[in-house]
Amino acid sequence: MGIVAGLDSSSTHTRIVVCDPETGRILRQGQAPHPADEPTPGTWLLSLGEAADGGVLEDVTAIGVTAQPLGVVALDAEGQPVRPALTGGNEGARAAALGLVDALGGRAAWAEAVGAVPQPTHPVTQLRWLGRAEPEAARRSFAVLQAQDWLVWQLLGRPERWTTDRGAASGTGYWSAVSESWRHELAELAIGHPVELPDVLGPAEPAGHTPEGLLISAGTGETMAAAFGLGVGPGDAVVSLGATGSVCAVHDEALTDPTGTITSFADATGHHLPVVRTLNATRTLRGTAELLGVDLPGLSELALRSTPGAHGLVLLPYLAGERTPELPHASGTLTGLRRESMKPEHLARAAFEGMLCGLADAAGVLRRRGVVIERVFLLGQAAELPAVRALAPSLLDATVVVPEPADYTALGAARQAAWAQGVDRGTLTADEPPAWPSAAGETLEPGDEAAVGATVRQQYAAVRDETYPGAFD
């Protein structure tokens, strides 16, 4: 079977990985930055071409594509972009999101309709912004694609139909995770008139073949591709530690949530990826480090000098308000101050425990809805800190895997290509993807610390519930 490639067109660069289709072993790689100008779709193709220089795609027989989740391409009737890509970074996106929520009758109405409440970065919100800020461009919009859909269409030579997959579609705000179908009326509500949307393909269904015979798989969104590349399955979750945090887990059904706390994504395999986000993750660590005059490794070293429970200190890390629980106007709270607890190491420990307990709250939202979380893949630079590694298994109540660095989004795209190619050639079935191994990395078990972690979480929850009664009701 021919070798496969995955293309990851992120907000700043294009990465390519070429893999053995049976084992997932990386054979070669390429990378190129996007031009610094406004993100026109044409610049994505230029970056892709540069990343493929030097024969990176030589002998490749199938390609999968993933792309930045914030790239929406509105096309006119001739298939030309009506403007540069919509990226979610424009002013007015928040107002557009709030307007959409009100237009459909509130958060619960959106959660029931599509499994998510519009956020400033969602494509449905970008269409709303376009319809009001640039009405002439909106009027000329005939079809709406996401970045990976447009790239797949270009690689296939601009065929008569546009395609996408259920994972990418689930991030738009106008595809229902429950019915697994487009809600065309919601796209029309956003932009002001009906628009064409791509056909949604099955997980192993190819989008087509190039004139040269190269198979192009359906493509998918970055979150879905990363999960597929990591090798997560039922019982697994991915916890991302950026300035903000998120917990997404594999589940067998879509979860609707009238509060909008859960965003119901589909994955690239036929399962679902419910996601719960927090507004405060490493921003909590960085703020504490600045206060104590140390860097993050120094903060980690201090925290490990303290003891579980931080000598009674509890930090509610709601420095930017909070989304889980829904406390947009909250601020951080530090309790338990006594003379003996007023030491740098105890504050450092409280920052790590507060951040991880906040993420445990997010995981708890999913667990209370029946999502099984036994193993957690921990992503982000903060996952390298010794204090995070020491505390995460017991506070998250799961086996923790810190994966080795790799471009898991591109790997996920390559795995999708291998799956579609295998089905196309009769060597795989549409029921099971190729059996690539899960991401390699350090595995950490709660062990004897599980009971200690439960006690710390109880201490944290007591302060949270006393400070913000009914926050999780």
Side-chain angles (χ1 to χ4, degrees):
M1 186 184 294
I3 58 177
V4 299
L7 311 182
D8 171 23
S9 182
S10 76
S11 58
T12 59
H13 59 261
T14 296
R15 287 196 178 107
I16 301 175
V17 298
V18 177
C19 301
D20 180 289
E22 295 182 358
T23 66
R25 181 171 64 91
I26 296 176
L27 305 176
R28 53 183 180 265
Q29 304 180 64
Q31 178 175 330
H34 289 319
D37 302 330
E38 193 170 9
T40 60
T43 63
W44 303 336
L45 286 179
L46 290 174
S47 176
L48 192 162
E50 292 178 8
D53 278 351
V56 171
L57 294 178
E58 185 177 353
D59 298 325
V60 165
T61 54
I63 295 177
V65 180
T66 184
Q68 53 184 324
L70 312 181
V72 181
V73 184
L75 302 176
D76 63 19
E78 284 71 48
Q80 298 300 317
V82 301
R83 69 175 314 283
L86 297 160
T87 63
N90 52 66
E91 295 183 7
R94 180 172 175 79
L98 293 174
L100 275 175
V101 171
D102 291 341
L104 196 64
R107 299 165 65 87
W110 278 97
E112 181 179 354
V114 296
V117 177
Q119 301 296 322
T121 55
H122 284 168
V124 70
T125 302
Q126 294 309 301
L127 296 186
R128 173 85 170 192
W129 176 87
L130 179 66
R132 281 147 181 75
E134 299 181 9
E136 193 278 330
R139 281 192 296 271
R140 291 191 295 116
S141 298
F142 175 77
V144 177
L145 308 180
Q146 294 187 84
Q148 70 277 348
D149 309 333
W150 186 87
L151 286 167
V152 165
W153 184 58
Q154 293 292 323
L155 290 172
L156 290 173
R158 297 164 62 96
E160 291 186 3
R161 73 166 183 164
W162 300 286
T163 58
T164 191
D165 91 312
R166 59 195 292 277
S170 69
T172 60
Y174 38 86
W175 185 87
S176 169
V178 176
S179 66
E180 301 220 5
S181 61
W182 290 118
R183 297 291 302 267
H184 290 272
E185 74 279 13
L186 298 182
E188 180 179 351
L189 173 68
I191 199 170
H193 62 85
V195 290
E196 294 293 315
L197 300 173
D199 294 340
V200 181
L201 303 177
E205 187 178 354
H209 294 78
T210 69
E212 299 77 24
L214 184 67
L215 182 147
I216 309 296
S217 64
T220 195
E222 279 193 330
T223 298
M224 303 77 193
F228 201 27
L230 284 164
V232 301
D236 292 336
V238 179
V239 173
S240 297
L241 298 176
T244 61
S246 67
V247 180
C248 74
V250 179
H251 196 48
D252 57 359
E253 63 178 347
L255 297 180
T256 58
D257 171 23
T259 71
T261 300
I262 300 174
T263 298
S264 193
F265 288 139
D267 77 352
T269 72
H271 290 95
H272 293 266
L273 279 176
V275 179
V276 178
R277 305 185 188 279
T278 70
L279 293 182
N280 301 278
T282 58
R283 74 167 79 243
T284 305
L285 304 183
R286 294 191 183 281
T288 309
E290 291 174 5
L291 179 64
L292 296 177
V294 296
D295 56 13
L296 289 184
L299 188 73
S300 174
E301 183 180 347
L302 279 172
L304 292 177
R305 294 182 199 166
S306 183
T307 54
H311 219 76
L313 288 187
V314 175
L315 176 64
L316 300 182
Y318 304 155
L319 306 184
E322 190 47 82
R323 184 171 174 181
T324 306
E326 183 71 19
L327 298 168
H329 306 298
S331 57
T333 302
L334 181 66
T335 67
L337 284 171
R338 290 184 172 84
R339 177 63 188 89
E340 59 271 19
S341 65
M342 296 177 68
K343 294 182 179 179
E345 59 265 33
H346 301 320
L347 178 56
R349 180 88 178 205
F352 281 95
E353 291 180 346
M355 178 190 74
L356 290 168
C357 283
L359 289 163
D361 276 352
V365 171
L366 296 176
R367 282 171 162 152
R368 286 191 292 275
R369 292 293 302 275
V371 179
V372 177
I373 300 178
E374 297 173 336
R375 182 174 64 163
V376 166
F377 289 84
L378 198 59
L379 305 183
Q381 289 186 340
E384 302 297 325
L385 296 172
V388 170
R389 296 183 177 217
L391 303 183
S394 63
L395 293 180
L396 297 177
D397 192 24
T399 298
V400 169
V401 179
V402 182
E404 295 175 354
D407 192 339
Y408 293 105
T409 51
L411 279 169
R415 192 179 181 194
Q416 186 193 65
W419 193 6
Q421 177 174 261
V423 172
D424 189 59
R425 297 184 177 185
T427 59
L428 293 172
T429 71
D431 298 325
E432 290 291 336
W436 291 12
S438 295
E442 184 178 1
T443 299
L444 308 164
E445 300 286 353
D448 296 337
E449 297 296 316
V452 174
T455 300
V456 172
R457 291 196 308 273
Q458 289 171 0
Q459 175 180 270
Y460 176 90
V463 173
R464 180 200 65 212
D465 295 342
E466 182 177 355
T467 309
Y468 299 102
F472 277 112
D473 286 350

